[in-house]
Amino acid sequence: MGQRAARIVPAKTRLLALTSSTERVASLRAQGITPLVGNLDAPATLLRLAGIATRVLHLAPPPSEGWTDPRTLALVRALRRRSHPVSLVYASTSGVYGDCAGAWVDETRASHPDTPRARRRVFAEHYVRFLGRSAGIRTSILRIPGIYAPDREGGTPHARLRKGTPVLQEPDDVYTNHIHADDLARACVLAVWRARAQRVYNINDDTRLKMGDYFDLAADLYQLPRPPRVAREGARAQLPVMLLSFMSESRRMVNARMKQELGLRLRFATVAQGLMERPAP
């Protein structure tokens, strides 16, 4: 959570976590968190949330298929059943903006999702906003780009660099945005308590790099070979569809609202600072 975020949370705040795994119950309790066993894919198991949750942080992603997000819809319906929470924060994705051709993007830009994955997020955002307007709940949306975490397996470019996965050559390359997992966690806590009603926030650091330059930077920090560069046509023949989709969207996210309204002071203002931590093996 971080000391700065912790200062705004009352000391007697009771933390509850929805989990679909009974195996996690003991671990959550050991951390001082009250577990609620339920599953967003089984709406009937969410009834206990109604009237209990006063401030909600919704981090669950949509299903991997389809055009909607039944999980967010189930949560919204459950929260409407009894006394409503004070606030609801939904962790969305910057992918809802679509390809912006490298332009600067603030929260006033209209969403223009280019992939089914992003369209499912737009659907979820719509229902979060609907809940806020119809029930008088202070709902807000965090639009989050690429998350990295050097202390977690697969949380950095380390493994991809070892595989020698190519990146786009400079004329074809795209701007990419990042946030360290610790800074993201602090942003989530701050948003639960400080975010304004019906407000969208870009949650990203101050890095301004194209994707290939990001991997070059990581390679130099880890003392690994820089990845090979390929033209976009060559990338289509070598890379999986999911990875190609990230290489087809270019934008530079503006994070002024996050700093000014949430009061988030980044601990890792750039990926160069964040990647200096030892990566997970």
Side-chain angles (χ1 to χ4, degrees):
M1 181 187 302
Q3 293 181 354
R4 183 177 176 85
R7 283 200 296 268
I8 68 167
V9 180
K12 294 184 179 180
T13 298
R14 181 187 178 197
L15 297 178
L16 300 92
L18 181 71
T19 178
S20 59
S21 173
T22 55
E23 296 176 354
R24 294 194 61 204
V25 168
S27 173
L28 289 169
R29 284 179 175 154
Q31 299 174 65
I33 300 172
T34 301
L36 295 177
V37 178
N39 193 323
L40 291 172
D41 293 324
T45 68
L46 305 178
L47 298 182
R48 292 182 63 197
L49 289 176
I52 294 179
T54 57
R55 300 176 188 269
V56 179
L57 176 61
H58 176 28
L59 301 173
S64 58
E65 297 180 350
W67 300 97
T68 64
D69 180 6
R71 293 171 180 167
T72 294
L73 183 56
L75 177 63
V76 166
R77 288 174 172 169
L79 293 175
R80 287 181 61 88
R81 292 180 64 89
R82 297 197 197 110
S83 58
H84 303 145
V86 175
S87 64
L88 167 65
V89 175
Y90 173 58
S92 185
T93 171
S94 59
V96 301
Y97 291 120
D99 180 29
C100 303
W104 292 98
V105 175
D106 66 16
E107 294 88 346
T108 64
R109 189 181 184 101
S111 58
H112 192 274
D114 294 325
T115 65
R117 181 181 68 256
R119 291 180 185 180
R120 290 190 288 269
R121 292 289 191 168
V122 170
F123 177 94
E125 289 187 4
H126 168 78
Y127 272 95
V128 167
R129 286 194 174 106
F130 171 77
L131 177 67
R133 290 193 300 266
S134 62
I137 298 172
R138 180 165 54 84
T139 58
S140 53
I141 294 166
L142 310 183
R143 289 181 175 162
I144 303 166
I147 306 168
Y148 70 101
D151 62 341
R152 301 177 190 175
E153 184 177 357
T156 72
H158 197 265
R160 179 172 161 180
L161 288 168
R162 286 195 174 278
K163 292 179 181 178
T165 304
V167 294
L168 294 175
Q169 62 185 12
E170 204 284 331
D172 298 326
D173 209 357
V174 297
Y175 281 101
T176 184
N177 305 272
H178 309 269
I179 187 70
H180 192 289
D182 289 353
D183 281 330
L184 173 58
R186 294 168 60 239
C188 289
V189 174
L190 289 165
V192 166
W193 295 88
R194 292 182 177 175
R196 298 183 184 179
Q198 299 286 55
R199 201 71 155 161
V200 174
Y201 295 89
N202 288 344
I203 306 297
N204 57 286
D205 65 19
D206 298 331
T207 301
R208 302 290 179 256
L209 287 175
K210 289 189 173 182
M211 186 177 293
D213 296 331
Y214 166 64
F215 281 97
D216 284 350
L217 170 66
D220 294 346
L221 289 173
Y222 299 152
Q223 298 182 344
L224 293 172
R226 289 186 171 187
R229 299 265 186 159
V230 296
R232 185 171 294 278
E233 289 302 319
R236 290 193 179 100
Q238 299 181 51
L239 300 175
V241 174
M242 178 67 76
L243 185 53
L244 283 172
S245 71
F246 291 116
M247 292 181 168
S248 300
E249 297 181 358
S250 184
R251 52 188 168 264
R252 287 173 284 179
M253 294 171 64
V254 178
N255 60 13
R257 184 180 288 181
M258 172 192 79
K259 295 177 179 179
Q260 294 167 4
E261 295 186 10
L262 300 185
L264 179 63
R265 187 172 181 178
L266 292 164
R267 290 183 176 174
F268 303 97
T270 66
V271 291
Q273 295 173 338
L275 291 175
M276 287 297 290
E277 295 180 290
R278 184 180 297 277

